[in-house]
Structure formats: C-alpha cells, structure tokens
Amino acid sequence: MASVKVMIRRNKMRVDGTCPIILKITNNRCLTEKFIGYAVKPEDWDESDRIVKKTHPNSVRINHLILKK
C-alpha cells in the first residue's frame, strides 16, 4: 500500500526565498519525490495541515492542485 505526504523542500531554496512543494510517495519501501511545479515561502506553508496558508495570493489554487494530485 502506498502512502503520500505533501511537504516543501527547505534545502532546495530558490534565489527568491521560495521552496518547492513536493509529494513524497512511498510504495513497497521505495521513496519517490514528485515536484508539483509550485513553490512557496516557508512562512506561507502550514506544516501541521500540509497546506498553503491564506497569506499566499494563490493559496486556493495551489491547495486545490495538491488535493487533486
């Protein structure tokens, strides 16, 4: 059975201070990371709920994309 976690990669911070959002997929003890194509600042990321906070201008669009993926 596969499990999926949504998180940001803080060690891959870009020049503008944003971190990419990734999906960590674990299947049969094999880990795969998939970038969804969006990046947010660490202060706009809610670590407990694993969603983009409403302080980000496109939070609704990105959160919907995360749920869809």
Side-chain angles (χ1 to χ4, degrees), residues 5-16:
K5 277 187 165 181
V6 180
M7 53 188 1
I8 60 172
R9 290 286 303 262
R10 294 181 190 271
N11 61 343
K12 298 281 185 181
M13 190 172 288
R14 297 179 179 169
V15 177
D16 60 353

Side-chain angles (χ1 to χ4, degrees), residues 13-32:
M13 190 172 288
R14 297 179 179 169
V15 177
D16 60 353
T18 59
C19 300
I21 301 173
I22 63 165
L23 298 173
K24 283 182 100 172
I25 304 164
T26 306
N27 189 18
N28 295 331
R29 296 183 185 168
C30 295
L31 182 68
T32 304

Side-chain angles (χ1 to χ4, degrees), residues 3-68:
S3 64
V4 178
K5 277 187 165 181
V6 180
M7 53 188 1
I8 60 172
R9 290 286 303 262
R10 294 181 190 271
N11 61 343
K12 298 281 185 181
M13 190 172 288
R14 297 179 179 169
V15 177
D16 60 353
T18 59
C19 300
I21 301 173
I22 63 165
L23 298 173
K24 283 182 100 172
I25 304 164
T26 306
N27 189 18
N28 295 331
R29 296 183 185 168
C30 295
L31 182 68
T32 304
E33 293 181 352
K34 180 174 169 111
F35 294 93
I36 66 167
Y38 284 95
V40 295
K41 292 186 178 180
E43 57 266 11
D44 289 333
W45 180 253
D46 187 6
E47 195 65 44
S48 61
D49 292 335
R50 300 185 188 276
I51 59 171
V52 180
K53 292 181 183 176
K54 293 189 184 237
T55 56
H56 192 274
N58 289 331
S59 64
V60 175
R61 177 182 286 173
I62 297 172
N63 287 331
H64 182 67
L65 178 73
I66 291 170
L67 289 174
K68 195 171 155 184

